[in-house]
C-alpha cells in the first residue's frame, strides 16, 4: 500500500515550480499547465481508474506530459496509483477541499441577494424558513414596502400544516416521514380555511411536489396569501422554503404566475450557490 504523501512532499512539489523567476512566456505556459491539470482531474473523475496510455489518448496529450502531471498530482496527494500498475484514480483530498468550501457557505447570506431582488421587484414580504421541531422557523425576512403587517419575524415559529413553507418542507419528505411528523401535531385552526387534519395535508402534498410550489390561501392569516418553493442542499434534500406573502386583494392570475416564476428562479439560484446540482436526464 502506498503511503499518503506528507505535507513537506507536497510543499516541495509546489516549490519546485516556483524557485526561478518567470518570463511572460513562462507565465503563459503556467496558465496552460494549470488548465491541463484540471482537464486531467476532470477525466479521472469521469472515467475512474485509468492508465496513462488510455488517458493520454482520451485527452490528446503525450504520454510523457500526462505522466509528468500525474506524478506531481500524486506527490501532492490528489491522485493515487493503484498498486504497481499504471492506473491512477482520484483521492479523497479533492473532497476535503470541497468540504472546506462548503463549510464557508452560509444559507442566509446566499439567500439574501435573491430575496432582496424579489422584494425590490414585487415590494412584497419575502421569507426564508426551515424545519424546526415540527414547526417552521423563519431564519430571514425582507419586509414589504407596502407596510404589510404580518405575524412573522426572524426566529418566530409557525405551524407546518398552515404555511406554504411548511407544506414545501413536508412535500419533499418521504411520504412516511411526512405522515409521521403530522401525526405528532395538534391541529389548531388559525382561520376558517386552516386544514384540520393530517389526512387533509397529506392529500395535497403530491400536487405540491408536482407543480414545484405550495400555497397558503388565508390558512395562517385572514386576507393573506403565501406562495413558497423549495431550496435544496448539495445532497438534493430540501433545506428550506422560500416564500412571498401578499394580500389576497393583490392576487390576480397574472400576479400569481409571475410570483411563482420569480420564486422558482430564486430557489434554483440559492440551491446552486450552496452546492445543489440539477440531476441530469439519463
Amino acid at each position: 500500500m502506498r503511503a499518503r504523501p506528507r505535507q513537506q512532499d507536497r510543499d516541495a512539489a509546489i516549490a519546485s515550480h516556483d524557485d526561478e523567476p518567470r518570463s511572460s512566456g513562462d507565465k503563459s505556459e503556467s496558465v496552460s499547465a494549470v488548465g491541463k491539470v484540471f482537464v486531467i482531474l476532470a477525466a479521472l473523475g469521469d472515467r475512474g481508474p485509468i492508465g496513462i496510455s488510455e488517458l493520454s489518448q482520451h485527452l490528446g496529450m503525450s504520454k510523457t506530459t500526462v505522466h509528468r502531471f500525474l506524478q506531481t498530482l500524486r506527490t501532492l496527494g490528489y491522485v493515487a496509483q493503484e498498486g504497481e500498475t499504471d492506473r491512477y484514480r482520484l483521492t479523497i483530498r479533492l473532497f476535503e477541499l470541497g468540504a472546506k468550501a462548503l463549510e464557508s457557505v452560509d444559507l442566509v447570506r446566499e439567500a439574501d441577494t435573491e430575496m432582496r431582488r424579489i422584494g425590490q421587484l414585487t415590494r412584497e414580504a419575502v421569507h426564508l424558513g426551515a424545519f424546526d421541531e415540527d414547526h417552521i422557523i423563519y431564519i430571514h425576512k425582507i419586509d414589504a414596502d407596502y407596510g404589510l403587517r404580518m405575524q412573522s419575524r426572524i426566529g418566530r415559529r409557525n405551524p407546518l400544516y398552515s404555511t406554504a413553507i411548511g407544506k414545501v418542507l413536508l412535500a419533499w419528505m418521504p411520504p412516511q416521514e411526512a405522515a409521521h411528523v403530522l401525526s405528532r401535531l395538534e391541529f389548531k385552526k388559525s382561520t376558517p380555511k386552516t386544514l384540520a387534519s393530517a389526512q387533509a395535508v397529506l392529500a395535497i402534498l403530491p400536487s405540491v411536489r408536482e407543480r414545484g410550489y405550495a400555497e397558503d390561501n388565508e390558512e395562517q392569516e385572514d386576507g393573506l396569501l403565501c406562495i413558497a418553493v423549495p431550496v435544496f442542499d448539495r445532497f438534493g434534500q430540501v433545506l428550506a422554503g422560500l416564500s412571498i406573502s401578499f394580500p389576497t386583494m393583490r392576487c390576480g392570475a397574472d400576479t400569481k404566475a409571475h410570483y411563482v416564476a420569480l420564486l422558482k428562479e430564486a430557489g434554483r439560484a440559492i440551491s446552486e450557490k450552496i452546492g445543489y446540482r440539477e440531476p441530469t436526464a439519463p
Side-chain angles (χ1 to χ4, degrees), residues 199-216:
Q199 290 73 21
V201 178
L202 290 169
I204 67 170
L205 297 184
S207 63
V208 168
R209 188 159 180 161
E210 182 179 357
R211 67 191 182 187
Y213 69 93
E215 291 182 75
D216 150 21

Side-chain angles (χ1 to χ4, degrees), residues 3-278:
R4 180 170 176 168
R6 296 173 299 170
Q7 183 63 46
Q8 54 263 44
D9 294 330
R10 298 181 188 133
D11 293 342
I14 295 171
S16 67
H17 295 284
D18 295 327
D19 53 5
E20 295 181 2
R22 295 190 179 276
S23 66
S24 59
D26 290 333
K27 290 178 181 178
S28 297
E29 291 177 6
S30 296
V31 171
S32 175
V34 170
K36 289 176 181 177
V37 166
F38 281 101
V39 167
I40 289 172
L41 290 173
L44 289 172
D46 290 338
R47 301 175 72 88
I50 189 172
I52 290 176
S53 297
E54 186 181 352
L55 185 58
S56 170
Q57 184 176 6
H58 174 67
L59 297 177
M61 296 182 192
S62 71
K63 289 196 289 186
T64 301
T65 298
V66 171
H67 180 265
R68 176 163 53 88
F69 281 118
L70 285 173
Q71 289 305 308
T72 299
L73 289 168
R74 185 175 69 84
T75 301
L76 294 171
Y78 291 100
V79 303
Q81 190 173 353
E82 292 195 330
E84 298 302 322
T85 72
D86 73 340
R87 292 167 65 83
Y88 290 80
R89 60 173 174 80
L90 295 178
T91 69
I92 200 170
R93 182 159 171 77
L94 282 171
F95 174 80
E96 292 171 349
L97 283 179
K100 288 178 181 177
L102 287 169
E103 286 172 3
S104 66
V105 171
D106 183 309
L107 172 61
V108 172
R109 183 182 67 238
E110 299 296 351
D112 181 72
T113 301
E114 293 296 325
M115 293 174 68
R116 290 186 184 280
R117 181 177 68 86
I118 292 175
Q120 290 170 356
L121 290 172
T122 66
R123 302 180 65 193
E124 305 289 4
V126 186
H127 293 85
L128 186 70
F131 184 75
D132 179 51
E133 296 182 354
D134 303 339
H135 287 74
I136 68 162
I137 184 169
Y138 296 110
I139 56 179
H140 194 36
K141 177 183 179 182
I142 304 298
D143 287 317
D145 287 346
Y146 290 110
L148 177 66
R149 292 292 174 261
M150 296 181 57
Q151 300 172 19
S152 66
R153 64 177 184 276
I154 296 174
R156 182 186 175 94
R157 299 163 81 218
N158 264 339
L160 287 163
Y161 55 86
S162 60
T163 57
I165 288 178
K167 292 173 189 173
V168 159
L169 297 174
L170 289 166
W172 269 267
M173 288 181 186
Q176 293 170 329
E177 182 181 349
H180 177 67
V181 169
L182 289 168
S183 71
R184 302 195 302 257
L185 304 183
E186 179 184 357
F187 285 74
K188 297 180 179 179
K189 276 192 166 287
S190 300
T191 77
K193 293 186 177 182
T194 304
L195 298 178
S197 68
Q199 290 73 21
V201 178
L202 290 169
I204 67 170
L205 297 184
S207 63
V208 168
R209 188 159 180 161
E210 182 179 357
R211 67 191 182 187
Y213 69 93
E215 291 182 75
D216 150 21
N217 188 5
E218 298 186 272
E219 297 165 53
Q220 181 61 30
E221 295 184 43
D222 285 318
L224 193 69
L225 189 143
C226 184
I227 303 168
V229 300
V231 174
F232 297 95
D233 66 15
R234 66 185 186 276
F235 301 111
Q237 303 297 312
V238 172
L239 181 64
L242 176 69
S243 74
I244 182 169
S245 302
F246 52 101
T248 53
M249 64 182 180
R250 287 203 292 269
C251 180
D254 291 343
T255 300
K256 178 180 170 182
H258 177 54
Y259 288 178
V260 168
L262 286 176
L263 284 171
K264 286 186 174 182
E265 180 184 0
R268 283 192 296 269
I270 298 166
S271 299
E272 289 174 0
K273 287 178 182 179
I274 59 178
Y276 175 69
R277 293 294 176 267
E278 289 269 3

